[in-house]
Amino acid sequence: MIELTHISKIYNENIMALSNINLRIDKGEFVFLVGPSGAGKSTFIKMMLKEIDPTSGNIIVNNVNLSKLKRREIPYYRRNIGMVFQDFRLIPEMTVYENVSFAMHVIEASSRDIRRRVPLVLSMVGLSKKANSLPGQLSGGEQQRVSLARAIVNNPSVLIADEPTGNLDPETSRGIMELLKDINNSGTTVIMATHAKDIVDSMKKRVVALEKGVLIRDEQKGGYGYED
Ligand code: ADP
Ligand code: ADP
């Protein structure tokens, strides 16, 4: 469970990026985070990862108060959050298999667990046959599926996707959304920041809308609500 209470973020130039945000996301929810450029979506995501701290307010994730986390505890906290980006961020010199297994090496998983888990996750995203390919040999949609595999391989309780379909065509995007739905249905909380109006409107999931740092809308089975 994620709970933000009275979260504000003021950057040095006196920019109020987030203003008194109160938000509760239950385990297993699927939430779209929408809003125009500059609304505060990236700031929200960076706070969830504890890359930045709020100016005031509290964030609690699975009973952990992020403001009380010690520096050495941050890497352990982050293991619990899978992250997917618009630009995939795969390691170009590593094969698909290595990109995914590396995430398990980092948390010092045993070789045995890695050998068991990586093929399973690659098959979940439909990439078993591409295990030995390099990212540069894959289509954009395939690269994003590798990135999803890497994000979930350590079984995070939360998956944050920042514009995951931003570089993909509509058909490929639908495939990525199906995977995100599967991941969500297996119990992972999914938070997806997006400008993809069609996707938000078709999924009928919770929509949280920010505008100039203010939470202006929070709807179950919501729509995108903008014409940008
Ligand atoms: P979004 O992701 O919705 O586009 P951001 O969280 O990036 O929004 O930005 C929210 C506001 O905070 C904007 O006005 C932006 O210019 C400002 N901002 C973001 N990062 C910084 C920073 N490091 N320093 C100063 N202002 C920032
Ligand atoms: P899209 O599905 O986005 O149209 P492409 O047409 O680029 O993607 O790729 C179609 C298939 O060809 C994919 O399975 C991809 O992995 C494979 N492929 C593309 N480029 C290469 C390459 N340089 N070497 C090996 N396989 C490739």
Side-chain angles (χ1 to χ4, degrees), residues 10 98-99 108 118 146 148 160 169 178 201 217 225 227:
I10 302 169
E98 288 164 349
N99 264 281
E108 294 171 344
V118 177
V146 178
L148 274 172
I160 300 179
D169 60 60
E178 285 306 312
D201 287 342
R217 186 157 55 92
E227 294 298 331

Side-chain angles (χ1 to χ4, degrees), residues 130 136-142 169 172:
K130 302 279 178 173
Q137 299 172 313
L138 304 180
S139 70
E142 289 170 331
D169 60 60
T172 308

Side-chain angles (χ1 to χ4, degrees), residues 78-96:
R78 287 193 185 135
R79 289 179 184 185
N80 201 35
I81 301 188
M83 193 66 217
V84 175
F85 304 92
Q86 174 170 5
D87 56 359
F88 321 133
R89 303 200 190 176
L90 300 171
I91 299 169
E93 299 81 11
M94 287 189 180
T95 65
V96 166

Side-chain angles (χ1 to χ4, degrees), residues 112-131:
R112 187 160 162 266
D113 285 347
I114 294 174
R115 281 196 305 271
R116 240 195 331 225
R117 176 80 178 152
V118 177
L120 190 73
V121 174
L122 287 180
S123 102
M124 279 175 61
V125 300
L127 283 181
S128 300
K129 290 187 174 145
K130 302 279 178 173

Side-chain angles (χ1 to χ4, degrees), residues 28-94:
E29 278 200 87
F30 193 118
V31 181
F32 284 116
L33 187 62
V34 307
S37 183
K41 303 181 296 296
S42 307
T43 299
F44 174 87
I45 290 171
K46 284 179 192 151
M47 265 180 205
M48 290 296 302
L49 296 167
K50 204 171 161 68
E51 286 175 9
I52 58 175
D53 290 319
T55 307
S56 58
N58 273 307
I59 303 178
I60 293 173
V61 180
N62 300 333
N63 298 319
V64 176
N65 185 333
L66 299 199
S67 63
K68 302 221 163 93
L69 269 187
K70 298 191 175 66
R71 186 177 291 269
R72 63 181 160 76
E73 294 170 328
I74 295 174
Y76 296 93
Y77 162 71
R78 287 193 185 135
R79 289 179 184 185
N80 201 35
I81 301 188
M83 193 66 217
V84 175
F85 304 92
Q86 174 170 5
D87 56 359
F88 321 133
R89 303 200 190 176
L90 300 171
I91 299 169
E93 299 81 11
M94 287 189 180

